[in-house]
Amino acid sequence: MVEYSWLIPLFPLLSFVLIVFFLNRNNRVSSYFAIAMILTSMVLSFKILVEVLANPHPYEAFITWLSWTGFSLPMGIYIDPLAAVMLIVVTIVSSLVHIYSLGYMHGDPRFARFFAYLSLFSFSMLGLVIAGSYVLILVFWELVGLTSYFLIGFWFEKKIAADAGKKAFVTTKLADLGFLLGLVLMIFVIGTATLPELNKKIESLKITAGMVEENHSSKQLHNAEMTVHEGVSKHHKTHNRTGESHEVGTATHGKAISKEDAKRTLILIGIAGLLMFMGACGKSAQFPFHVWLPDAMEGPTPVSALIHAATMVAAGVYLTARLMGVILISPTMGLVVASIGTITAFMAATIGLVQNDIKRVLAYSTISQLGYMMMVLGLGGYTAGTFHLYTHAFFKALLFLAAGSVIHAVHTNDIQEMGGLHKKMKITSITFLIASLSISGIFPFSGFWSKDEIFAVAFEGGHYVILVIGILVAFMTAFYMFRLYFMTFTGKPRDQHAYDHAHESPYNMTVPLMIFALLSIFAGWWGIPWLHTNYASFVFFGHPHHVEPNMILMLISLVVALSGIGLAYLMYYKRAISPETMAQRFKPIYTLLFNKYYFDEIYMAIIINPTYRLMEILFKFDQIVIDGMVNGVGKLTLLWSWAKERFDTYVVDGAVNGVGHLSLATGRAIRKTQTGQLQTYALVIFLGAVVLIFMKFI
Amino acid sequence: MMSELTLLHFLILAAVLFALGIFGLLTRRNAIGILMSIELMFNGAAINFVAFARYVAPQEIAGQVFTIFIITIAAAEAAVGLAIVILIYRNFKGIEVDKINFMKW
Amino acid sequence: MSMLIFYILAIVAVVSALMVVTLRNVFHSALFLVLTLFSVAGIYVLLEAEFLAAVQVLIYVGAITILMIFAIMLTYQITSKSIRQVNEQVIPAVIIVLVFFVLSLVTLIKTSWPVSNKSLPGNNTFEIGRQLLSTYVIPFEVVSIVLLIALIGAIIISRQDGPSRPGQEDR
């Protein structure tokens, strides 16, 4: 079965091609066909997951794509447990988003095209997941970027949407430059770009360089090795992979690479990995490149759910996970990935606290959660990072779809104009609540298990700063999610007109919500650390990394999350009793600071003001340092252009004009020979023939 | 006069015909004249074939067979060529090939 | 005897070929082409290729030349003989063709041809037929298809109806 996995991306591709070329006149047929295709992919993915569960040994199939002397570029698929899990995540989210779109996009003039784009997107993402070489990943990576451009700018009549699409494309493209450079460097250094070979190569180099246990970043590896001893008996089968790599290692060792050479190569690999991580930062909206994701909320909400919650941004995390081998050998890279993840998680969470656009809050929360994943991946927590990716996909997709359902009902994104919608939209409200509980990490929802895993990794590695920031972010996450929930669904309606027109969404929208709600609760149970065979014993890098469940840590994170929810309850649920205060809320938050409730003042003093100040500082920083740099670069460019202009006028133009005149004169002369007379040409041809015969005589 | 007829006689005759054909091809203004010159060249080549069939390899009669092919191709060429000439005449009101020069720069 | 016949035929062929390429009146050229082709048929008889001679007369003289004359009559006012029939490159053409001829003459004379003493099979028409349908059956079939396509092509090209072609009115 697993050898047919290359079929999975082809179904959505088929749907895209057929819709674009044949079916686009018929909305109903187009959408149903797209749904049927993605469901087929989902069924296939499930079968593959079952098979991979039974035999976790990675399946790989490569063919030579290009080859020239001494080098060949293989292309193929690589299905390991992570890929199998990702296939499931992508196909489930994609299928449900397809179905949801039936309702959400109903009546859109480009309904069929929307489904074509969704199919193309699913194709790209599934291709990326099964791709077995970094080159192929890059190909699908760019396809994903392109499709996201189509989908974000789907309502391109709106200038904001078109601009957002451009912004997303350009920002990720800039980051992709890093990916490309890293890829070239990696191919140059290692001579291969396939996933299995890269890891084998790294293993062998590590042995050659004799640095298996030296650097601080491989502390996790050390931990992994310690915990492995108990795992060995359980997971005998999975160990032949490492066995193989050792063999390869000694084989390469036979070629007598010196220790220094191996170390140098490892450093180069680390640089390549960092460059490629830059690409991942772009796609996953990490710290310097995060700006595009909130803007991308201008796209249709199913797109936000599909692209900006569950799949496209997951591509960056996925790539980083795929670079785990590099992270483990390069302490610098691990440090960079972990710090960027931590910064992003913290920054996005603080911004999320004060946003009023429902989708933007979700966008910042996505960025923050992705920061979590990057953070833990940087610490070597392959299992924890990918597990959070897996659970996050479901509850974040649910949050977006529920938000979409709300927007569909009240036709606004602003939570200050919502309120009390629980009575009108029970299903949406309850599913949103479930997702919020899950993302906040409340026991026993799935977010709890994955978030706890992350904290456990940070704790085990002794990275206490990161752990504390992580817990702080968890608190903020719980707070802003419930701020959102209380503002939207509870209290009195703030916009009576919108409230009166609000209604529960049709079944094709609520059913996906309910399915996602179930997944948001139960999907994480796979990772319960007390289980005998759980996620950690299935998806791991190198050796199964069994993190000891830490009851105290769990308790702390639970308490933190509950206090976040409690704070939100006090501030937004209680206060919502008085409508005048709600009216005041519409004023800028500064006026709110001085004449409002005690809760508001706490809120202001403790959270908003420092946040604002932080943001102001960040803004100033932006204005002075970043803008200064940008302007400086601009001025330099101007100067340089001026110099170039001079050069152009006198040297280049002179040369060009000279060449032009020369060509003109030559042309005038040669033109005479082009008489247009066939017989003249025949004469010349024959003359040539005679000359050839004549030459035979000499 | 020589007493015996040799291969060389026929080859020289063929060469003369071929050269005259080329001369016509290069100088006639008339498209039909050009086609006729080409027929002359065909005949020169055909004489060569038949002469070689007679003097060099008489047992396998390949030269004559190929002459049949040449004649067939000549017929096809004449048919298509003349059709093109008619078309040119219809479009340009004349068949002087030096007037057909609208491909010129 | 055969020598004499050869010379007569050769002179007739060459002179009339010269007429074909030099005469002003293209209709006269066509008539001289007939003469050349007849002489070539005679040459074939001298070369013991009687079947080819018959084919030459039937196809060349009988069909192709008639086709040419038809085309001339369709496209030319026979009365307007005064049109110059040669272009400006006569002198270079003469020089090049002469050089070519001299070169080929030298080649022909200098080469020692591997002349065989055997004679043609007595019944060579039969032999041609046999070979056409055995050894050369594939070229034979191909050439039939070529002929068919040429016929269809000629009809399609010269059809009067159909969409009016651009450029028809400009010139």
Side-chain angles (χ1 to χ4, degrees):
Chain A
M1 198 62 223
V2 73
E3 58 269 20
Y4 293 113
S5 52
W6 54 273
L7 279 172
I8 295 175
L10 293 187
F11 289 115
L13 180 64
L14 178 72
S15 140
F16 169 71
V17 170
L18 285 184
I19 291 177
V20 163
F21 288 107
F22 304 111
L23 305 175
N24 53 5
R25 304 253 167 231
N26 192 328
N27 287 340
R28 182 175 288 266
V29 172
S30 295
S31 55
Y32 287 168
F33 186 69
I35 291 170
M37 285 297 106
I38 191 72
L39 284 176
T40 315
S41 290
M42 186 173 84
V43 170
L44 204 52
S45 305
F46 265 112
K47 296 192 96 163
I48 282 165
L49 179 68
V50 168
E51 193 150 318
V52 175
L53 272 173
N55 173 19
H57 191 74
Y59 169 80
E60 51 188 271
F62 287 97
I63 58 166
T64 306
W65 188 2
L66 295 171
S67 74
W68 56 91
T69 332
F71 179 71
S72 70
L73 203 55
M75 174 183 78
I77 58 174
Y78 180 74
I79 309 287
D80 63 351
L82 176 60
V85 171
M86 279 301 288
L87 280 178
I88 286 296
V89 171
V90 174
T91 48
I92 289 181
V93 173
S94 187
S95 311
L96 292 177
V97 166
H98 271 74
I99 295 167
Y100 179 89
S101 303
L102 276 181
Y104 192 83
M105 299 302 286
H106 184 77
D108 192 278
R110 291 188 295 274
F111 188 80
R113 193 193 295 183
F114 184 76
F115 277 88
Y117 286 161
L118 282 187
S119 295
L120 184 62
F121 180 80
S122 310
F123 159 69
S124 321
M125 191 62 204
L126 291 169
L128 194 150
V129 169
I130 66 167
S133 81
Y134 291 103
V135 180
L136 204 55
I137 288 184
L138 179 68
V139 171
F140 285 110
W141 183 270
E142 297 298 354
L143 265 176
V144 167
L146 176 73
T147 325
S148 74
Y149 169 74
F150 288 153
L151 283 170
I152 294 168
F154 186 74
W155 288 322
F156 53 77
E157 298 93 341
K158 280 201 304 184
K159 190 174 182 309
I160 304 178
D163 286 349
K166 270 184 275 183
K167 188 172 180 181
F169 193 70
V170 172
T171 314
T172 52
K173 197 70 221 161
L174 186 67
D176 290 350
L177 189 65
F179 189 178
L180 192 62
L181 286 176
L183 187 59
V184 170
L185 184 62
M186 191 158 280
I187 291 175
F188 182 70
V189 172
I190 307 183
T192 180
T194 66
L195 305 172
E197 280 187 47
L198 173 71
N199 288 335
K200 280 177 196 165
K201 203 87 170 191
I202 287 174
E203 286 293 321
S204 71
L205 284 169
K206 220 156 66 177
I207 291 160
T208 317
M211 51 173 284
V212 182
E213 299 295 338
E214 277 173 22
N215 53 58
H216 86 87
S217 169
S218 57
K219 207 182 274 176
Q220 283 74 41
L221 195 75
H222 186 69
N223 288 334
E225 224 114 56
M226 292 209 308
T227 44
V228 125
H229 296 305
E230 59 198 49
V232 167
S233 50
K234 282 190 266 178
H235 309 288
H236 237 307
K237 202 192 290 173
T238 56
H239 265 264
N240 45 13
R241 180 166 60 175
T242 21
E244 266 170 24
S245 60
H246 280 289
E247 275 167 32
V248 173
T250 44
T252 344
H253 193 59
K255 275 191 268 169
I257 311 169
S258 77
K259 200 167 166 173
E260 278 65 40
D261 271 355
K263 276 188 175 164
R264 209 172 300 131
T265 313
L266 283 177
I267 289 169
L268 279 175
I269 293 175
I271 294 170
L274 266 180
L275 283 167
M276 286 165 86
F277 174 67
M278 183 175 153
C281 278
K283 273 279 185 292
S284 284
Q286 293 300 291
F287 164 52
F289 300 109
H290 65 275
V291 286
W292 65 269
L293 186 61
D295 283 24
M297 293 303 129
E298 290 302 331
T301 307
V303 171
S304 307
L306 180 60
I307 296 192
H308 308 118
T311 51
M312 172 174 161
V313 293
V317 178
Y318 183 72
L319 179 70
T320 314
R322 285 297 190 207
L323 290 171
M324 185 48 74
V326 183
I327 291 175
L328 288 184
I329 53 126
S330 166
T332 327
M333 175 152 177
L335 190 66
V336 169
V337 174
S339 344
I340 285 190
T342 316
I343 293 169
T344 310
F346 185 73
M347 177 205 70
T350 48
I351 297 174
L353 294 176
V354 293
Q355 295 292 315
N356 280 329
D357 182 321
I358 184 166
K359 280 175 77 181
R360 273 175 194 253
V361 176
L362 294 178
Y364 281 110
S365 108
T366 304
I367 298 176
S368 167
Q369 299 298 312
L370 291 166
Y372 262 148
M373 298 171 205
M374 287 297 187
M375 174 179 101
V376 76
L377 285 173
L379 300 179
Y382 182 82
T383 307
T386 56
F387 185 52
H388 196 56
L389 181 62
Y390 156 80
T391 55
H392 172 256
F394 296 129
F395 56 69
K396 187 48 64 70
L398 172 55
L399 284 172
F400 268 110
L401 294 186
S405 173
V406 171
I407 294 168
H408 196 63
V410 298
H411 299 291
T412 174
N413 283 5
D414 196 336
I415 49 171
Q416 296 178 74
E417 296 171 22
M418 299 171 186
L421 289 172
H422 178 76
K423 291 185 206 82
K424 290 270 190 166
M425 314 174 70
K426 286 230 163 45
I427 298 173
T428 307
S429 165
I430 290 167
T431 52
F432 194 94
L433 180 64
I434 289 170
S436 301
L437 288 169
S438 190
I439 195 174
S440 307
I442 303 300
F443 179 86
F445 296 90
S446 58
F448 172 77
W449 304 108
S450 57
K451 202 165 276 191
D452 181 70
E453 192 95 348
I454 291 172
F455 294 153
V457 168
F459 180 74
E460 263 195 11
H463 305 281
Y464 297 114
V465 179
I466 288 177
L467 179 64
V468 168
I469 295 177
I471 289 175
L472 204 59
V473 171
F475 173 75
M476 289 191 282
T477 308
F479 175 76
Y480 64 67
M481 283 319 300
F482 277 86
R483 167 175 175 264
L484 207 57
Y485 179 76
F486 290 134
M487 295 269 286
T488 309
F489 293 105
T490 63
K492 284 192 179 148
R494 269 149 289 183
D495 184 337
Q496 196 61 43
H497 178 75
Y499 177 81
D500 290 341
H501 286 267
H503 54 86
E504 184 58 281
S505 302
Y507 279 116
N508 45 26
M509 287 167 73
T510 50
V511 168
L513 291 182
M514 290 187 276
I515 296 173
F516 270 131
L518 290 178
L519 285 167
S520 299
I521 300 171
F522 297 113
W525 291 17
W526 192 15
I528 295 176
W530 291 285
L531 286 181
H532 181 61
T533 48
N534 59 8
Y535 184 86
S537 67
F538 179 52
V539 180
F540 53 86
F541 189 84
H543 312 287
H545 182 180
H546 187 75
V547 179
E548 276 305 309
N550 189 325
M551 288 298 281
I552 299 166
L553 214 54
M554 283 185 185
L555 210 61
I556 292 174
S557 82
L558 195 57
V559 167
V560 162
L562 284 173
S563 55
I565 295 171
L567 189 59
Y569 175 80
L570 289 175
M571 280 165 56
Y572 292 101
Y573 190 72
K574 291 280 192 195
R575 197 199 47 172
I577 296 164
S578 149
E580 309 84 75
T581 52
M582 293 310 295
Q584 288 291 347
R585 280 276 301 155
F586 290 113
K587 289 186 181 172
I589 295 172
Y590 272 117
T591 54
L592 197 79
L593 173 66
F594 297 107
N595 47 20
K596 273 303 121 192
Y597 278 158
Y598 183 60
F599 295 114
D600 283 331
E601 278 155 35
I602 294 174
Y603 178 26
M604 251 356 261
I606 294 178
I607 299 156
I608 293 191
N609 237 356
T611 313
Y612 259 93
R613 238 168 250 144
L614 183 64
M615 292 199 304
E616 262 167 28
I617 291 165
L618 287 175
F619 180 66
K620 284 257 168 61
F621 176 80
D622 265 19
Q623 277 213 313
I624 295 163
V625 181
I626 309 252
D627 283 13
M629 267 162 63
V630 171
N631 288 341
V633 169
K635 285 210 182 91
L636 265 178
T637 314
L638 271 181
L639 197 67
W640 173 236
S641 324
W642 179 82
K644 266 169 60 172
E645 197 250 334
R646 297 279 113 177
F647 180 78
D648 274 12
T649 323
Y650 294 110
V651 183
V652 179
D653 281 13
V656 170
N657 288 340
V659 170
H661 285 306
L662 187 68
S663 319
L664 213 59
T666 323
R668 281 213 187 91
I670 293 180
R671 192 167 77 160
K672 299 254 158 49
T673 67
Q674 295 294 311
T675 58
Q677 296 298 326
L678 273 181
Q679 285 169 307
T680 313
Y681 300 155
L683 185 74
V684 175
I685 293 170
F686 189 63
L687 178 67
V690 171
V691 168
L692 283 179
I693 299 171
F694 190 70
M695 278 163 66
K696 193 73 190 160
F697 277 89
I698 299 169
Chain B
M1 272 203 191
M2 278 183 278
S3 54
E4 189 68 23
L5 205 51
T6 63
L7 174 62
L8 194 59
H9 288 91
F10 293 99
L11 294 185
I12 290 172
L13 173 63
V16 173
L17 285 183
F18 191 79
L20 283 171
I22 285 176
F23 176 74
L25 178 73
L26 296 181
T27 55
R28 300 299 313 218
R29 289 178 73 215
N30 187 320
I32 297 179
I34 291 174
L35 284 180
M36 292 195 292
S37 310
I38 292 173
E39 298 302 336
L40 282 182
M41 291 164 72
F42 271 129
N43 271 286
I47 290 175
N48 270 1
F49 268 108
V50 182
F52 282 128
R54 165 69 178 76
Y55 287 102
V56 179
Q59 281 316 109
E60 45 215 92
I61 205 153
Q64 294 197 16
V65 175
F66 272 91
T67 307
I68 289 178
F69 289 148
I70 288 177
I71 292 174
T72 321
I73 297 296
E77 175 261 340
V80 176
L82 289 171
I84 292 173
V85 166
I86 302 279
L87 196 66
I88 289 173
Y89 178 73
R90 216 182 279 150
N91 284 335
F92 292 91
K93 307 284 175 253
I95 50 172
E96 280 75 33
V97 286
D98 52 0
K99 281 190 195 152
I100 310 164
N101 59 357
F102 61 91
M103 294 283 277
K104 182 181 173 185
W105 68 78
Chain C
M1 183 59 195
S2 61
M3 201 67 193
L4 184 65
I5 297 170
F6 172 78
Y7 277 111
I8 293 169
L9 286 173
I11 287 165
V12 170
V14 169
V15 169
S16 47
L18 200 62
M19 293 298 164
V20 170
V21 295
T22 51
L23 279 183
R24 290 202 145 201
N25 189 327
V26 74
F27 185 72
H28 292 171
S29 290
L31 295 183
F32 275 108
L33 181 66
V34 173
L35 203 51
T36 312
L37 297 175
F38 260 124
S39 322
V40 173
I43 299 284
Y44 287 165
V45 175
L46 269 187
L47 285 167
E48 299 166 38
E50 298 84 3
F51 176 66
L52 283 187
V55 168
Q56 172 89 357
V57 172
L58 280 176
I59 292 180
Y60 262 116
V61 184
I64 295 179
T65 325
I66 298 302
L67 206 59
M68 297 258 177
I69 289 170
F70 259 121
I72 292 167
M73 302 216 296
L74 276 173
T75 58
Y76 253 75
Q77 298 81 6
I78 298 178
T79 48
S80 65
K81 329 182 162 108
S82 58
I83 303 172
R84 196 166 50 88
Q85 284 295 344
V86 278
N87 57 17
E88 302 85 8
Q89 52 186 24
V90 178
I91 293 159
V94 167
I95 296 169
I96 290 174
V97 167
L98 275 182
V99 171
F100 168 76
F101 182 65
V102 170
L103 287 178
S104 19
L105 213 56
V106 174
T107 317
L108 290 178
I109 292 170
K110 273 169 71 176
T111 316
S112 62
W113 300 101
V115 178
S116 150
N117 291 325
K118 292 181 185 136
S119 60
L120 284 166
N123 194 355
N124 64 36
T125 306
F126 173 80
E127 190 60 21
I128 290 172
R130 205 185 59 77
Q131 295 227 351
L132 267 184
L133 289 178
S134 57
T135 318
Y136 298 106
V137 66
I138 290 172
F140 181 67
E141 293 296 336
V142 169
V143 98
S144 342
I145 292 169
V146 168
L147 202 54
L148 177 67
I149 291 171
L151 285 176
I152 297 170
I155 292 167
I156 287 174
I157 289 172
S158 55
R159 244 159 57 143
Q160 188 101 47
D161 56 355
S164 68
R165 292 174 177 81
Q168 202 161 348
E169 275 75 40
D170 311 323
R171 302 236 171 194

